[in-house]
Amino acid sequence: MFDFLDTFSGPLLELFATSLWETLVMVGISGLAGALIGVPLGVLLRLTDRGGVRENAPVNRIVGGIVNAVRSTPFIILLVAIIPFTRFVTGSSIGTAAAVVPLTLAAAPFVARLVETALREVDHGLVEAAQAMGATTSQIVWKVLLPEALPGIVAALTITLVSLTGFSAMAGAIGGGGLGDLGIRYGYQRFLPEVMAAVVLVLIVFVQLVQSAGDWLVRRIRH
């Protein structure tokens, strides 16, 4: 008990708080950026799909192929493969800011496919009714597809944030900062299992809070 208290006293406790903040920043910024890129991509995939409002097989295949290629790349490989691009964008290949770049690139196609799936669940009869009344494509998107699919989109973004939490810990393994970096440097390299246990516990609590908040928001939207 006293060893545990000694371990989490002073500088290490401050470092733990800093690492938690870095994780929140990485997940929050990359989640927002991934949503800003992924949601429009998901809408585009749905609109150009077979039976979509703007059916276009070549565009759908090209965009879908790019999305699938990024999604199928393991995150740790993506992390290393885009180091030159990360360095170009942020000026560095390590640190919290640098980790946001690959996290965003991993999140965007993930969001796109989940949003596309949510849009598929919208009753096609509503879209046909809107078209019959002369609605434009943008009106169909903003007044029919997105409002009707909003619960599914919120659930998709919740899943994305949970996934990004795990990815951010992985980014810490190569100097990305955050709780993953803390767990590797202190819990593993310095043989402090109590630090590793604390990191895992905090990540579990964080994921539970994100999932609970997302589920609550979905229930509010549906009612």
Side-chain angles (χ1 to χ4, degrees):
M1 177 67 178
F2 290 107
D3 290 339
F4 181 84
L5 293 176
D6 290 340
T7 300
F8 287 95
S9 62
L12 185 57
L13 190 59
E14 294 178 5
L15 183 59
F16 200 94
T18 300
S19 298
L20 176 59
W21 171 249
E22 290 173 348
T23 295
L24 293 175
V25 169
M26 284 190 290
V27 173
I29 294 178
S30 60
L32 177 61
L36 291 176
I37 299 172
V39 172
L41 274 179
V43 172
L44 177 62
L45 286 170
R46 180 65 192 109
L47 291 179
T48 58
D49 196 9
R50 181 178 300 177
V53 177
R54 286 289 180 265
E55 183 176 340
N56 190 319
V59 171
N60 188 269
R61 281 197 295 266
I62 292 172
V63 176
I66 295 173
V67 167
N68 290 338
V70 178
R71 284 185 63 207
S72 62
T73 304
F75 180 69
I76 192 67
I77 296 177
L78 178 67
L79 198 63
V80 176
I82 66 167
I83 282 179
F85 178 69
T86 301
R87 189 179 291 115
F88 172 76
V89 173
T90 65
S92 174
S93 60
I94 60 174
T96 303
V100 169
V101 177
L103 285 171
T104 299
L105 290 181
F110 188 72
V111 171
R113 281 304 185 189
L114 292 176
V115 168
E116 180 191 14
T117 300
L119 294 174
R120 287 180 185 275
E121 299 301 319
V122 176
D123 186 358
H124 191 64
L126 295 175
V127 176
E128 291 178 339
Q131 289 177 311
M133 290 186 290
T136 63
T137 301
S138 61
Q139 289 174 328
I140 291 174
V141 170
W142 289 104
K143 295 184 178 181
V144 179
L145 290 177
L146 291 179
E148 291 294 323
L150 189 56
I153 293 174
V154 171
L157 295 179
T158 301
I159 295 172
T160 301
L161 290 177
V162 170
S163 298
L164 284 174
T165 302
F167 288 161
S168 71
M170 196 182 303
I174 63 169
L179 291 172
D181 182 49
L182 178 65
I184 292 294
R185 287 194 292 120
Y186 285 85
Y188 177 72
Q189 295 177 350
R190 300 191 183 186
F191 303 102
L192 294 173
E194 58 269 31
V195 174
M196 184 68 78
V199 167
V200 172
L201 178 61
V202 170
L203 288 174
I204 290 174
V205 172
F206 177 70
V207 167
Q208 290 290 341
L209 290 175
V210 170
Q211 188 66 59
S212 297
D215 292 343
W216 175 83
L217 189 55
V218 168
R219 288 194 297 269
R220 286 293 300 271
I221 294 173
R222 285 176 174 169
H223 291 88

